Amino acid sequence: MNYTVRLVSLLRWTVVAMHTALVVSVHCCPALTQMSRSERAWTSGAKMLPVLADLPVVILAIPIRALSGGAFAIATAPATVILVLLGGLQWYLLASLLARLAFGFQRTIPIASKRFGAVFIAGLLLVGGCGVLPWIPHLDRGLHPRVKGSYTQPALVFSGESTDLLQSVVVPTLDTPVPEGKNVIWCGTFQLAWNRLGKDVLREPPNVQGAEAVALRLNQAQFSEDDVPPDSYLALAGFAKDGIVEEVQAEMARRFQKVVEIDPMEPEHILAYAYLETDADFTIPFFAGSEALRFLNSAGKESRVISFGIEEKHEYAYDELREQVEVLYCLRQEWDSEEPEEFVLDLCRFSSPNQILVACIPRKATLQETVDDMESKVQGLAQQPDAEHSRKFGIWDVVMVPDLNWEVRRRFTELEGPEKRLLNAGFSGYHIAKAMQTIRFRLDRSGASLASEAQLPCAPMATHYICNRPFLIVMKKRDAERPFFVMWVDNAELLSQ
């Protein structure tokens, strides 16, 4: 028995099988009801492939279609059968000619050899590829994650002391004047620790000699524990002799599985401590940007940064992903312009208990004034008759937001030191030995994550919504009046690049 096969026969039937797989797959592949620009282009190209490959057969079918009064369409099942049979015969003859020119009819190959196995597997891959080709848009859409799943977080851009940052500052209160050309960061943990110091230990708002202005702003701040999710924070204050250090460490281990490092304290020392850990996961992750986003800072300097969102090529697609974006405010000076002059977006209106807002609006003198300006503009849109329609993120809309991932430690030295005595009755012999806050923040295609810690130990006297320019990030408990994290992004120092 001859255990060899002619290479020409293998080539003939491989080409015929490739043709059959392509024609049948194009006929069976359903059209997506809403396709993106790239999906439409791919589907149109896939449909044209059989027509071009079987052009002689298609030309012969024109008279048949004319005689049938147009009832015989190429997309119908009978036409598909004809294309498979006549087109297959056409390619069988072409493959025979090609094989004769390349190998000759007498070239054989043993079936049990490695050469035959490699050729056979290559043929199967080619046939399978032709069958899968028209379905690629469906596969791409199906592979887009509908849950957070595993993914690679953006690299940590910065981790260190705030003094090492050249273009970013951390402020103690929202109404602290902000410098020009700087990223400005505020988180409510320091305020929570300050409030606990006054409520649980001093029994009145803290008053610090030589830092009256900062202390006054902290005492007048409206931010409280009601503005953060109940299970997301810890705020305690007390004397070391009453076990405050052990209580903080035990609660942090129990509730957040964190080990807290606290400097050694004498019995009469006081500790005010606050910790916040929360997130705002997007229901459906956004796409990672396919190319670098050009971010232009307030000084006009351009930086290429990593971003996420919904790109122009995704137009008319991904309804579920688009439904989670809500337009809270949009201002257009020129109605034919794709990019609005100002906008405020809720990146996922389904996220709970927190929401993450991004706002391209003008910067004010303080973060508080900027947030108030954003809120007034959002309220203004909400009061308009067509507010419900205006809030929808359209099927042609684009949104791109830079990735952030950083950790900053800030020492509020303006409150520290023996010369900064507490002026509260009964505590005149105390001063704030260390006023420290650590903030860890990440914003990427999966959502936002925030972790922040503050320690106040006191011792006796010894349309295309493109965020490619400065913008505001606000993180708050949904429906709460006040945010617990605010960042004005003025430059690319803390953006992923």
Side-chain angles (χ1 to χ4, degrees), residues 308-378:
F308 66 90
I310 305 174
E311 298 182 78
E312 190 174 1
K313 67 181 181 179
H314 301 137
E315 288 179 355
Y316 299 96
Y318 304 98
D319 290 343
E320 295 177 33
L321 181 60
R322 292 177 179 279
E323 285 177 2
Q324 72 183 12
V325 182
E326 186 172 18
V327 181
L328 301 182
Y329 172 73
C330 183
L331 172 65
R332 296 181 186 273
Q333 292 290 6
E334 299 180 6
W335 292 104
D336 59 345
S337 174
E338 286 186 339
E339 294 189 21
E341 185 172 332
E342 299 178 20
F343 63 84
V344 181
L345 297 180
D346 184 344
L347 292 180
C348 183
R349 60 193 179 97
F350 305 121
S351 64
S352 181
N354 302 317
Q355 67 179 154
I356 184 78
L357 308 177
V358 293
C360 276
I361 57 175
R363 184 185 69 87
K364 303 296 182 181
T366 67
L367 286 178
Q368 184 65 66
E369 292 180 27
T370 309
V371 172
D372 290 344
D373 180 50
M374 179 194 73
E375 294 288 355
S376 65
K377 290 173 176 176
V378 170

Side-chain angles (χ1 to χ4, degrees), residues 151-166:
Y151 73 106
T152 302
Q153 293 184 359
L156 197 64
V157 175
F158 177 85
S159 179
E161 304 294 332
S162 61
T163 52
D164 295 332
L165 292 170
L166 302 178

